[in-house]
Amino acid sequence: MDNKEKQSFYYTWKNINASLDTMRGMFDLVRLVDPEECREVFIDDSGVLSFGKECYAVWNASHRCADCTSLRACRTHQRKGRVEYYDGKKYQIQSIPIQIVLSNDTVYSCNIELINFSVHTLTDMEESDYSKDAKETHDYLTTHDNLTGILNWDGFCRHVRQLILDDPDLPRVIISANIRNFKLIN
């Protein structure tokens, strides 16, 4: 298969959890992730989908990784991988885009994340990469537009989600505007 070709793996709500259990024998962490929502996903035995905690909570982070492999895998429909260094451990991450047919016959797209980790002493080169990754994933840079300094889509979604969690009964209004040909200016 050509590396540029889109890869699709299909599961049903009846077999996804058994498949994940099999993979758990080979990896330290196996989970379903919705990269657009930045959340873990669960499918129960009756085929109902639910969301868990933010996917980046596994790193004790407060924001999405700047070079999120799951988001890249989802958008390109190709398996993506990378190595992360966090808290003295080396994490090898693979993100595999999949589609799951749910009990109501809708097709849900998400990723399987396969993660292995090991205790690791950083070399000078890895220490440099680690510092670079830490700088790149700084919360401000991942949640704000570099040009204007306003919230980007990820930052907006996180902010709205937090507002709703803080006071779910408070009514709110969202106003959307479109400036014609702004992409040319941008």
Side-chain angles (χ1 to χ4, degrees), residues 145 147-148 177-186:
D145 179 79
L147 178 65
T148 63
N178 185 16
I179 301 172
R180 288 187 188 172
N181 299 320
F182 187 72
K183 286 183 180 181
L184 295 174
I185 297 167
N186 212 5

Side-chain angles (χ1 to χ4, degrees), residues 117-128:
F117 59 87
S118 58
V119 176
H120 188 73
T121 305
L122 299 178
T123 65
D124 289 341
M125 180 65 124
E126 291 168 338
E127 185 70 48
S128 169

Side-chain angles (χ1 to χ4, degrees), residues 16 18 29 31 55 67 88 100 111 113 117 121 133 167 179 185:
I16 186 64
L29 178 61
R31 63 190 184 157
C55 62
D67 191 23
I100 304 170
N111 288 340
E113 272 193 3
F117 59 87
T121 305
D133 281 346
D167 191 356
I179 301 172
I185 297 167

Side-chain angles (χ1 to χ4, degrees), residues 79-92:
R79 177 189 299 243
K80 298 293 179 184
R82 78 182 275 177
V83 174
E84 287 279 340
Y85 300 97
Y86 175 73
D87 201 24
K89 291 182 181 175
K90 177 181 180 179
Y91 292 86
Q92 295 175 309

Side-chain angles (χ1 to χ4, degrees), residues 53-71:
K53 61 187 174 193
E54 291 86 2
C55 62
Y56 47 78
V58 73
W59 318 111
N60 294 323
S62 62
H63 57 280
R64 175 195 302 272
C65 300
D67 191 23
C68 177
T69 56
S70 284
L71 189 60

